[in-house]
Amino acid sequence: MSLSVECPRCHTPCSLADVPNGASITCGNCQEVFAAEAGGDEASGTLRQTPAKKKSSALLWILLGIGFVLLLPACGLVGMIGYGFYWLDFSEDTKDPVIVGDARPELPRMVPGMGAGAGGNEPRNPPKPKVEIVRAAAPRIPLECKASEVREILFSNAKTNQAAVYSHSEEHGHRVDRYDLATKLKVSSFELVDAKPNSERKSFSPEATLFAYEDGKDFVVICSAVDGKQVSRRKPYEEKEKPVANVHESLLARMEFVAEDRLLTVNEAGGVDLWSVPDFEPIHHTPARAKSSFRNPQWGLAFSFDLKVLAVFNGEGYDLLNTATGELVRKTDAPPQGDTIKSAFGVAFSADGRELAAFFAIPSGIGEPLAVMARYDVASGKCSKTTMFGDFSALGSKSPNLAWWGHKHLLAWGETHNQARVVEAETGKVLRRLEVGMVDQAGRFAATSPDNRLWYAAGETANEQAFLAGVEVPEDELQAGKDKPEETLVLTADGIGKKK
C-alpha cells in the first residue's frame, strides 16, 4: 500500500512510494522540498496535526471576539446608569467642572456662512489687514447703525455745523440720525415714513430744522428734523392734462434747501422751480432744457456751497442760475475741441465757489466715447483747462460722479459711493485709488463737505458699528505715491491709511 504525507507548506498529500525513509521529496503543488519520514503504523500524514490545531485556535479567537462585542452595550448601559446617578441632585453640592485659569465667556459656535470669508474653501475668519494710518480722523463720531446700513450723509451750514446720516435696515427701516459735529453727540433721530427705496433725492436744511425726502409715490415730504413729524407733502411735477413736449418735465431730478424756508426743485428735463416751505407756494419757474435728461441727481446738476448758484447742463456747457431769482447769471464756454458732448456726468463747485469741474463723454468715432474733464472759471464762464482720459476706465466708472477734496484734488466714483479715484485737479492725473472699509469695503463717503475735509462713514466690518469721520488731504502721501495710482488708500474709522 502506498503511503502519503502532507506538504508542510500547502498541506497537499504527497506519495511516499519508492522513496526511502528520510529522503527528500518535492511537493508537486508548491514545489516545497521536505524530508519524507514515516514509521511503524503511523504515516507522516497521520502524525501531522498542525492544521487542525490552527483551525481550533482561530475558532477560539472568533468566539472571544463575539463575546466582547456582545458585552459592549452592557458596559455602556452600566456606565450611563452610573453617570446618571452621579448627576442626580441628592445634595446641595454642585458638580460643575473645575476650570483652571480665567473663566471666559463661551465662544459662539461656527455656523455655515459665519465670518467674512464664509463660503468655498476660504477661511471663515480671515485675519484683518493691518493698516498704517497716514492721516488721523478728526473728528470721529460713533453712529448708531452699522457700516453697511449707511446710505447718505448730508450737512447743514457751517454755522449750525450738523450732519444728518440716513441709514436703512430691516430692523430700523429708513432712519435719519442728526449729529452735532462740534460736540460729537446725537441730537435727534426719526423715521422716514414710506421713503422711496434707493432714492438719492434728499435735502437737509441749512439751519438743521427741516429734512426733505421723496416717498414711494413720488411726493416730496418735508418733515421736522427735530422729531420727524411731517410738515407738508406735495408732488412738485404732476402730469399735466395736455401732453408735454418732454415727458421728463413731470419727473423730479433733484431738490435742495437753498434757505431755511426755500426748497428748489429740478425736473428731469432741467426745469427749475423755487417753492416756499412749508406751504409749497411757487416763487419762480425756469423753463426746461430739453437737450438732456437729468436721470441722476449728481449728473449735470450742481449747487455752490453757499447755495446761491445752480449749474445746469445745457447741451454744450453749463447755465449758471441765481437760485433766489432763477435768473441766468452766465453761460460757460463749450469745450475747446468744439466736439458735440454726448453725455454729462459728475459736476461740482469748489468750496470757495470760484471753479466748476465737470466730466463729459464725447463721441470718438471708434466705439467707446472719449472721457473729458473740464474746469471753468465761474466769474467769467471761461473753460480754463481740459483733460482727456481716453475713456472713463481710468476713473473706475463709465459714468463717474465728482466732488472736490480740498482745493487741489477731486474725487471720481461710480454708483457704489465707497470706492473712488483721487484726481489732481490741475493736471487731471489719477493719483491713487480710495476705498471705504478695510475688509468689506462697506461704508459711504459724503458727496459734499462742510469744511474741505473728506467725510465718510466706516466701521471695522460691514456688520459692526459705523463711525462718522472727516480727514484732510494727505498731500505728502499722495505725492509720494503719484507713480502708483493703483495702490489703494483705505478710509477706516481711525482715519485714512494704507495696507501694510
Side-chain angles (χ1 to χ4, degrees):
M1 183 175 74
S2 175
L3 299 177
S4 65
V5 64
E6 287 184 354
C7 171
R9 182 178 180 185
C10 66
H11 308 295
T12 301
C14 301
S15 175
L16 293 177
D18 302 326
V19 178
N21 187 34
S24 297
I25 187 171
T26 301
C27 175
N29 181 44
C30 66
Q31 305 303 313
E32 175 77 5
V33 178
F34 59 94
E37 297 180 357
D41 295 330
E42 296 177 345
S44 297
T46 61
L47 293 175
R48 298 177 64 88
Q49 299 297 325
T50 304
K53 290 180 180 179
K54 287 183 178 180
K55 292 179 182 179
S56 299
S57 177
L59 180 61
L60 177 61
W61 280 108
I62 291 172
L63 292 174
L64 287 174
I66 293 173
F68 178 75
V69 171
L70 293 175
L71 284 173
L72 279 177
C75 294
L77 181 61
V78 171
M80 290 176 65
I81 294 173
Y83 188 74
F85 272 103
Y86 172 77
W87 283 102
L88 283 176
D89 194 9
F90 289 117
S91 68
E92 295 180 355
D93 297 336
T94 61
K95 297 180 176 61
D96 294 333
V98 177
I99 301 176
V100 179
D102 295 335
R104 302 186 183 276
E106 182 182 356
L107 294 175
R109 295 184 299 109
M110 296 299 293
V111 296
M114 182 176 180
N121 295 321
E122 299 178 0
R124 294 191 183 279
N125 289 300
K128 295 179 181 178
K130 295 182 179 179
V131 174
E132 176 188 354
I133 299 298
V134 298
R135 181 71 67 180
R140 180 176 182 269
I141 303 172
L143 303 179
E144 295 187 5
C145 61
K146 300 175 182 177
S148 61
E149 297 171 352
V150 179
R151 296 291 183 270
E152 203 166 346
I153 304 167
L154 304 101
F155 298 98
S156 65
N157 60 26
K159 182 179 179 181
T160 311
N161 201 28
Q162 292 188 9
V165 179
Y166 162 56
S167 62
H168 177 256
S169 67
E170 293 296 328
E171 181 180 359
H172 300 291
H174 299 270
R175 191 179 72 179
V176 173
D177 295 318
R178 188 165 57 107
Y179 294 88
D180 186 294
L181 299 181
T183 64
K184 304 180 184 180
L185 298 176
K186 189 178 78 169
V187 292
S188 71
S189 180
F190 53 91
E191 182 183 357
L192 303 184
V193 181
D194 192 28
K196 188 173 185 177
N198 304 318
S199 172
E200 294 183 273
R201 297 168 183 88
K202 299 178 183 66
S203 184
F204 189 31
S205 67
E207 297 179 17
T209 64
L210 299 173
F211 191 90
Y213 65 98
E214 187 179 25
D215 70 9
K217 296 182 179 179
D218 298 332
F219 280 77
V220 170
V221 179
I222 297 178
C223 62
S224 166
V226 177
D227 54 18
K229 291 183 179 179
Q230 181 175 308
V231 175
S232 58
R233 178 174 179 265
R234 175 166 181 166
K235 184 179 288 187
Y237 298 108
E238 298 188 60
E239 296 182 7
K240 300 178 181 179
E241 295 181 1
K242 296 182 180 180
V244 294
N246 190 336
V247 68
H248 298 287
E249 290 185 39
S250 61
L251 300 173
L252 177 67
R254 183 165 176 172
M255 59 182 165
E256 200 76 45
F257 282 103
V258 296
E260 202 63 20
D261 60 348
R262 297 288 187 271
L263 181 70
L264 189 143
T265 62
V266 185
N267 62 43
E268 287 194 0
V272 179
D273 294 88
L274 184 66
W275 311 84
S276 66
V277 291
D279 52 3
F280 262 112
E281 288 295 326
I283 297 176
H284 69 67
H285 170 74
T286 301
R289 292 156 179 79
K291 292 184 178 180
S292 182
S293 171
F294 299 90
R295 295 177 292 106
N296 186 308
Q298 304 296 331
W299 296 349
L301 297 171
F303 285 86
S304 61
F305 277 73
D306 60 9
L307 301 173
K308 293 181 179 180
V309 181
L310 168 66
V312 183
F313 179 61
N314 60 22
E316 297 177 349
Y318 280 87
D319 287 348
L320 304 181
L321 305 178
N322 183 316
T323 58
T325 64
E327 296 178 351
L328 176 66
V329 178
R330 66 186 53 86
K331 290 179 177 286
T332 66
D333 290 342
Q337 291 85 351
D339 294 317
T340 301
I341 296 175
K342 181 179 180 180
S343 303
F345 295 114
V347 56
F349 283 90
S350 60
D352 57 14
R354 295 180 179 180
E355 285 192 275
L356 182 72
F359 286 135
F360 298 118
I362 295 176
S364 65
I366 56 173
E368 288 291 324
L370 297 175
V372 177
M373 184 181 78
R375 288 171 56 201
Y376 301 95
D377 176 68
V378 172
S380 64
K382 299 294 183 182
C383 184
S384 59
K385 178 77 174 180
T386 58
T387 304
M388 305 290 292
F389 291 97
D391 60 49
F392 284 118
S393 61
L395 301 174
S397 172
K398 291 185 178 181
S399 52
N401 299 318
L402 181 64
W404 285 79
W405 185 11
H407 300 287
K408 300 179 181 179
H409 300 88
L410 300 164
L411 290 182
W413 74 94
E415 296 180 355
T416 60
H417 286 77
N418 57 20
Q419 299 178 25
R421 301 293 193 277
V422 183
V423 180
E424 193 172 50
E426 182 62 31
T427 64
K429 181 179 177 61
V430 177
L431 299 180
R432 298 292 281 272
R433 295 170 60 97
L434 197 66
E435 292 181 353
V436 180
M438 292 187 298
V439 179
D440 310 275
Q441 281 75 55
R444 183 64 62 105
F445 56 78
T448 60
S449 168
D451 55 12
N452 283 329
R453 288 187 177 100
L454 172 60
W455 286 81
Y456 60 93
E460 288 296 320
T461 66
N463 292 318
E464 293 188 56
Q465 180 186 24
F467 290 83
L468 177 64
V471 290
E472 296 178 351
V473 179
E475 188 66 43
D476 295 342
E477 177 60 35
L478 291 178
Q479 293 302 319
K482 66 189 310 180
D483 295 327
K484 302 176 182 178
E486 294 304 310
E487 188 176 60
T488 303
L489 293 177
V490 183
L491 294 173
T492 74
D494 297 318
I496 189 169
K498 56 184 179 179
K499 296 178 182 178
K500 290 184 179 181

